[in-house]
Amino acid sequence: MADNFIYMDHAATTPVLPEVVEAMMPYFADYYGNPSSVHVAGRRAGVALQKARQTLAELLGAKATEIIFTSCGTESDNAALRGIALARRTATGASRILTTPVEHKAILQTAEDLRDHFGFALTLLPVDSTGLVSPDDLAAALGDGHDVAVVSVMYANNEVGSVQPIAELGALCRAAGVPFHTDAVQAGGKLPLTVQALQVDAMSLGAHKFYGPKGVGLLYLRNGTPFVPYMTGGSHESSRRAGTENVPLIVGMARALELAESARVAEMDRLRVLRDRLIGGVLEGVDGARLTGPRAPRLDNHASFVIEGADAEGMLIALDLAGIAASSGSACASGSQRPSHVLDAMGIAPAVAAGALRFSLGRSNTAAQVDELLDKLPAIVTRVRGEG
Ligand code: PLP
């Protein structure tokens, strides 16, 4: 599709790079074997699967045995939280889950399900007005860690771009002997993913946020972390996630992360400049606009605001008509009219949160596009407010 619009919604999803499509193609119709089969067709697929696993493991500084393929970031989050919490309760009796109120619903609703249907206690750590967790609050909530089954804190927030101090939080969990998971779905391709440095025991990724295909993700699970499979029915993925592996998509995910990692530093340097131009321009050109999330530490491609008196849905429709694709913050929340749970946890009143607007930049964006947005947005806001 020729892009005749300005796409500024890369936090929702990204296009698949041509090199990624090319890497996947042979595995649909030529090398189509089941990687579990013993014959030559299966072995070919099996080799591709292992190669992708090895590539991904190396990119994360992990071992191949620590990579579990899944169908998306949501599944990785479910597998991590359910798998670790249940296994640890069985092993130690620990039955409290610690997480934050700004997590993606893939974590929050899973934690609530574990509370409501599996008897776990749930503690939500406080966040400040920019959505950041404090290590001191985690330390206080952990105590000696004996009753905590698992801690999960997202690496980067999808709605407001805040980047949590994962290594510091991880070190606290490690000292308390409690497994630590991070949802790194928004961090993939944008922030360093080396698991040793991050001090995580488990980490979720989804390929479609870093120019890979939709429908595939991975869970890094450090060897020795207590885990029961959430999906049963076969010995795939060393009996940790049953189901025939999606070889073409997994090959695509490995290629996509390889490309994303090799371009990451230069691309983030480029996007940071565009992002700062966008943030500065909106704050200056649109009255009643306020940045949500911190100035720093913030995702380099992420600019999010609340615009007082302007309804998000109205702004998104008007932007769309003007050829600009943006979001109110969370794909799941747009259209639902419910105020964002993230902005709520940050203390932003529902009436203000109703004007949430997110621009997430990526490879296709240029300074000229940012300027076009800055040129068009003030009039759009005026119109949506009913002043124009
Ligand atoms: N976690 C975060 C922080 C996300 O932003 C998303 C998707 O937007 C997910 C999890 C879910 O990922 P997926 O769309 O791959 O299921």
Side-chain angles (χ1 to χ4, degrees):
M1 180 176 62
D3 282 355
N4 55 1
F5 58 91
I6 297 175
Y7 186 73
M8 292 191 174
D9 200 12
H10 293 82
T13 197
T14 55
V16 181
L17 286 178
E19 297 95 314
V20 173
V21 174
E22 195 189 329
M24 290 192 290
M25 284 313 283
Y27 296 95
F28 287 105
D30 294 337
Y31 303 121
Y32 52 82
N34 185 321
S36 300
S37 299
V38 293
H39 48 62
V40 64
R43 287 202 308 275
R44 277 184 186 145
V47 167
L49 185 66
Q50 290 320 321
K51 192 164 161 267
R53 195 187 304 282
Q54 188 60 41
T55 299
L56 287 160
E58 281 169 18
L59 290 167
L60 305 183
K63 301 185 183 76
T65 51
E66 295 175 320
I67 305 296
I68 302 173
F69 293 123
T70 68
S71 66
C72 58
T74 300
E75 187 194 325
S76 300
D77 283 347
N78 267 269
L81 211 61
R82 293 176 192 279
I84 297 172
L86 289 165
R88 224 172 102 78
R89 185 171 65 182
T90 303
T92 68
S95 66
R96 198 151 59 94
I97 294 168
L98 287 186
T99 186
T100 84
V102 295
E103 299 299 307
H104 190 272
K105 290 282 169 111
I107 287 293
L108 266 185
Q109 286 186 358
T110 303
E112 287 163 7
D113 184 57
L114 287 163
R115 177 195 63 198
D116 296 344
H117 300 113
F118 295 85
F120 284 87
L122 175 57
T123 301
L124 297 181
L125 299 166
V127 293
D128 70 11
S129 62
T130 65
L132 288 170
V133 170
S134 128
D136 289 345
D137 287 329
L138 175 62
L142 267 175
D144 67 4
H146 79 277
D147 68 333
V148 182
V150 60
V151 175
S152 182
V153 178
M154 73 199 314
Y155 194 171
N157 186 274
N158 46 310
E159 293 192 38
V160 297
S162 41
V163 176
Q164 303 288 359
I166 293 302
E168 246 181 291
L169 303 175
L172 289 170
C173 292
R174 202 154 280 182
V178 176
F180 180 53
H181 166 258
T182 191
D183 173 346
V185 171
Q186 286 296 338
K190 301 178 200 93
L191 293 169
L193 294 177
T194 314
V195 291
Q196 304 304 339
L198 289 172
Q199 311 220 39
V200 294
D201 300 300
M203 182 169 80
S204 303
L205 285 173
H208 74 104
K209 308 290 190 186
F210 49 84
Y211 304 89
K214 295 169 185 61
V216 65
L218 71 81
L219 175 65
Y220 157 77
L221 186 71
R222 194 162 72 85
N223 284 339
T225 308
F227 184 79
V228 287
Y230 147 70
M231 193 108 121
T232 51
S235 58
H236 315 86
E237 299 300 295
S238 307
S239 296
R240 293 167 304 181
R241 196 279 189 182
T244 301
E245 292 91 346
N246 194 333
V247 179
L249 270 61
I250 289 167
V251 167
M253 173 164 63
R255 187 74 187 115
L257 195 61
E258 219 169 29
L259 292 167
E261 273 300 309
S262 63
R264 182 168 58 81
V265 174
E267 179 63 357
M268 290 308 121
D269 284 348
R270 188 184 78 87
L271 291 182
R272 194 178 319 114
V273 174
L274 297 190
R275 176 202 70 182
D276 290 344
R277 185 182 183 116
L278 197 163
I279 291 177
V282 169
L283 295 181
E284 197 182 300
V286 179
D287 40 270
R290 209 170 99 198
L291 186 73
T292 53
R295 273 276 185 178
R298 181 178 192 100
L299 283 171
D300 289 318
N301 72 324
H302 194 292
S304 58
F305 308 90
V306 281
I307 302 191
E308 246 177 283
D311 163 64
E313 197 129 340
M315 289 191 286
L316 293 180
I317 292 167
L319 281 165
D320 188 32
L321 287 172
I324 299 167
S327 165
S328 64
S330 106
C332 330
S334 19
S336 73
Q337 303 289 354
R338 269 179 287 126
S340 147
H341 68 279
V342 173
L343 299 182
D344 183 51
M346 288 160 53
I348 296 177
V352 178
L357 200 54
R358 177 188 75 188
F359 302 97
S360 45
L361 305 173
R363 291 203 179 208
S364 62
N365 296 131
T366 61
Q369 292 183 340
V370 171
D371 290 345
E372 188 174 332
L373 164 71
L374 294 175
D375 191 43
K376 290 177 170 172
L377 188 61
I380 287 175
V381 170
T382 304
R383 231 177 21 252
V384 171
R385 280 180 177 144
E387 296 165 1

